[in-house]
Amino acid sequence: MFALVDGNNFFVSCERVFRPSLNYTPVVVLSNNDGCAIARSNEAKALGIKMGAPWFKIKHLVESHGLVALSANFALYGDMSDRMMSIAAGLGPTQEIYSIDESFIGLDGVRGNLARRARIIRSRILQWTGLPCGIGIATTKTLAKLANHIAKTAERKPGSYPAQYAQVCDLSSISIEERDYLLGLTEAGEIWGVGRRYTAQLKEYGVHTALELARMEPTVARSRWSVVLERTVRELQGISCTRIEDIAPDKKEIACTRSFGHPVTELHDLTQAVSEFASRASEKLRRQRSHVNKVLCFIRTSPFRKEKQYSRSVCIPLPEPCSDTHTIVQAAVRGLNLIYKSGYNYAKAGVMLLELQPAERNQLRLAMASASGSAIAESVAIERDTQGQLMQAMDAVNQRYGRGSLALASAGLGGTQRLWSMKQERRTPQYTTRWRDIPTAHA
């Protein structure tokens, strides 16, 4: 048994907790550099604003329909997510945090009326954090995702689904006939794992609804499409093919990429940006206790500007797998110098860490080499240990005093406004993570 707890229009809901005046107002949260809409209130959706809509195409709605646009405040959203997830964990014995606003809860062994229990948890989340959410319950993850979709859509669009399924939908407690009725009301493209390409192909095959997809032979799904779609079909049929991941699996690649707030032309500014991105990627690498073998660096101009275009990447192999920020930044900057060309307005750059492996593997290899009595191997092992201690100290400082408090010189001074910094002209205060932004209540 699974439950999926999913925040409603999560980024917008976080903003509304501290600005109730935004309730019942069309609101969008914009991406990095205020480029496009990444979250929309129900009122904004009613205006026809699509996910990913470019800001320049919808900003006229500010004057005509009172649209409010806000810059992304990820520090706030992350903290509010932690609060919501800690409450959601009370629904069952196991939890898998799937994304910043979604959490799977394992319900095996939980007794009683699951829908009633879910409504209590939902009310608690709303009361303690101010965040509305939907909860779907079913015997598989895919069906729980579908139940969550029904719960949220029934609340947002009265008449789309029976009203009794609004906010909380338990597909495990209804008859097969009623479940099939709900599947028949749902388009196949709304099912978890069925993307645009599959949706178009399924329509050509005559499959338009979730019910028709559930009635497909799994072997047909595998032979005509993929094992992924076969698994989706089996889960729609009530056969659980995935389990709760108590511990998130390590990433196989780590990337840090950003679009710039303004066009960047000089190598000096690009070096700062690439150094910053490589440093952040290195922190993520150490967080999952991994080492990297190759560092990829890329730069590109904007394909949306009518000017000469350039896009290039290069992959730099490391002499030894490591998680040392200095070594990784050096490789990224070396790659940048190889691909940089003057005379272009660069709009984006990024660093990717490739061919990751567990740190223990490399540490064991060095320990064995040191034990063999080789002076060189012993020297390398000592150097690696010193680097590891330095990185631990660096991470501890940044964790205590804020990201970027301690950085390599090539990244520039974090307290200054750098040319490549993101635009965040509409960002609200970091109400829960910065002392000076904590709201003050007046009698």
Side-chain angles (χ1 to χ4, degrees), residues 22-256:
L22 295 178
N23 291 336
Y24 312 111
T25 299
V27 180
V28 295
V29 173
L30 302 175
S31 63
N32 294 331
N33 293 312
D34 297 343
C36 61
I38 57 174
R40 306 156 294 155
S41 68
N42 291 338
E43 296 79 9
K45 294 174 183 178
L47 293 179
I49 298 175
K50 304 296 184 183
M51 181 64 80
W55 168 235
F56 72 89
K57 289 187 177 181
I58 61 174
K59 63 181 180 180
H60 67 279
L61 296 173
V62 173
E63 295 294 333
S64 61
H65 291 80
L67 176 67
V68 175
L70 303 173
S71 300
N73 189 342
F74 292 116
L76 172 65
Y77 308 152
D79 184 67
M80 294 297 286
S81 173
D82 289 343
R83 296 167 188 243
M84 186 181 83
M85 298 307 176
S86 65
I87 303 170
L91 185 56
T94 56
Q95 180 181 38
E96 175 189 343
I97 298 177
Y98 183 67
S99 67
I100 193 170
D101 61 344
E102 291 180 282
S103 173
F104 282 107
I105 307 294
L107 298 177
D108 291 347
V110 179
R111 299 179 179 180
N113 188 311
L114 296 178
R116 184 183 300 119
R117 182 182 179 91
R119 290 190 183 280
I120 292 173
I121 293 295
R122 183 188 183 278
S123 297
R124 189 176 298 168
I125 291 173
L126 184 61
Q127 181 182 6
W128 292 5
T129 69
L131 298 172
C133 68
I135 301 180
I137 301 171
T139 54
T140 71
K141 277 187 171 182
T142 301
L143 283 173
K145 268 272 197 180
L146 171 59
N148 183 272
H149 167 75
I150 294 171
K152 295 174 71 173
T153 307
E155 180 181 19
R156 182 167 62 91
K157 295 181 179 179
S160 56
Y161 292 98
Q164 66 264 33
Y165 299 115
Q167 300 180 353
V168 173
C169 175
D170 182 4
L171 293 181
S172 70
S173 64
I174 62 178
S175 66
I176 295 177
E177 292 75 19
E178 182 67 11
R179 188 193 67 181
D180 287 350
Y181 171 69
L182 295 174
L183 289 172
L185 294 176
T186 307
E187 295 183 1
E190 296 291 348
I191 299 302
W192 187 31
V194 180
R196 293 181 181 178
R197 182 169 62 89
Y198 279 168
T199 299
Q201 294 174 358
L202 287 169
K203 285 182 178 180
E204 292 180 1
Y205 190 72
V207 175
H208 300 271
T209 68
L211 179 61
E212 292 169 336
L213 182 59
R215 289 177 173 173
M216 179 186 292
E217 283 293 330
T219 52
V220 173
R222 180 168 187 160
S223 62
R224 291 185 63 94
W225 287 280
S226 69
V227 68
V228 175
L229 191 63
E230 177 197 14
R231 184 176 62 190
T232 298
V233 171
R234 291 188 185 278
E235 291 228 334
L236 286 175
Q237 295 172 350
I239 303 171
S240 181
C241 301
T242 55
R243 59 183 178 84
I244 291 288
E245 297 283 353
D246 296 326
I247 301 176
D250 290 342
K251 295 180 180 179
K252 297 181 179 179
E253 297 178 355
I254 293 177
C256 185

Side-chain angles (χ1 to χ4, degrees), residues 387-401:
Q387 290 174 338
Q389 293 179 25
L390 177 61
M391 291 302 101
Q392 288 178 10
M394 185 175 181
D395 292 343
V397 169
N398 287 330
Q399 184 176 4
R400 180 171 182 179
Y401 296 104

Side-chain angles (χ1 to χ4, degrees), residues 11 20 27 45 89 111-112 143 147 162 187 231 258-259 271 286 294 361 364 370 373 406 417 422 425:
F11 293 170
V27 180
K45 294 174 183 178
R111 299 179 179 180
L143 283 173
E187 295 183 1
R231 184 176 62 190
R258 293 288 187 275
S259 295
T271 299
R286 291 191 293 273
K294 294 181 179 179
R361 183 188 304 172
L364 177 61
S370 179
L406 187 60
Q417 183 63 28
M422 294 184 296
E425 299 171 351

